[in-house]
Amino acid sequence: MAKEVLKIHEIVKYPDPVLAKMCTPVTVFDTALKSLVAEMFESMYVAQGIGLAAPQIALTKRLTVIDVSYKKNTQDKLVLINPEVVETEGKQVEEEGCLSLPEIREKVARAAWVKVKAQNEHGEWFEVEGEELLARAMLHEIDHLNGVLFIDRISRLKRELVLRKIKKMQKNGEW
Ligand code: NI
């Protein structure tokens, strides 16, 4: 069989309204879903990201892919379908970015450790625990499925500055 050519999806940028939508659960675990997951990983790698959520490719489904080591360790490839945060602990404040907000980076407070329950591509439930960057990535991506962006988690003043920067870039045709 010929090697499948994966579709690279265009990444939706803020302020596209799809990024503010509450996503709906994935209910069908078929080959189309598996292809979509593969396409999301590839689209994420092309965009040089470590996480991508379905609304970022204009799909309002509760589906996200993460790879905090960016292709270095295959066991870091994580598919979270219909994920739920089960437990959190501690606090970390680190800089965060998002493929839908290119060039914007701000410090965001997140839990230092998190336990997440999710389904895999076959529909099987599993639990995954993560700290530091993995905890941050999972929480950031799960936020996307609820229409929340990291700039919704910074102070109003900082958000105003970010929005002003985006407006300026839009005006200059850089956004
Ligand atoms: Ni993001």
Side-chain angles (χ1 to χ4, degrees), residues 79-138:
V79 179
L80 300 176
I81 302 174
N82 302 325
E84 291 165 31
V85 175
V86 179
E87 219 181 314
T88 60
E89 221 176 85
K91 186 184 167 186
Q92 56 168 325
V93 181
E94 294 295 337
E95 255 193 11
E96 217 164 285
C98 179
L99 292 175
S100 295
L101 290 149
E103 291 179 55
I104 307 294
R105 294 194 72 83
E106 291 292 336
K107 284 198 166 178
V108 183
R110 300 275 187 190
W113 174 89
V114 65
K115 186 196 276 184
V116 168
K117 184 177 120 180
Q119 281 169 288
N120 64 18
E121 292 160 279
H122 311 288
E124 297 152 354
W125 286 95
F126 67 99
E127 281 189 344
V128 53
E129 294 172 24
E131 54 182 2
E132 297 173 356
L133 183 60
L134 180 56
R136 175 172 299 284
M138 290 198 285

Side-chain angles (χ1 to χ4, degrees), residues 56 97-100 140-141 144:
Q56 295 182 279
C98 179
L99 292 175
S100 295
H140 175 118
E141 298 310 328
H144 271 298

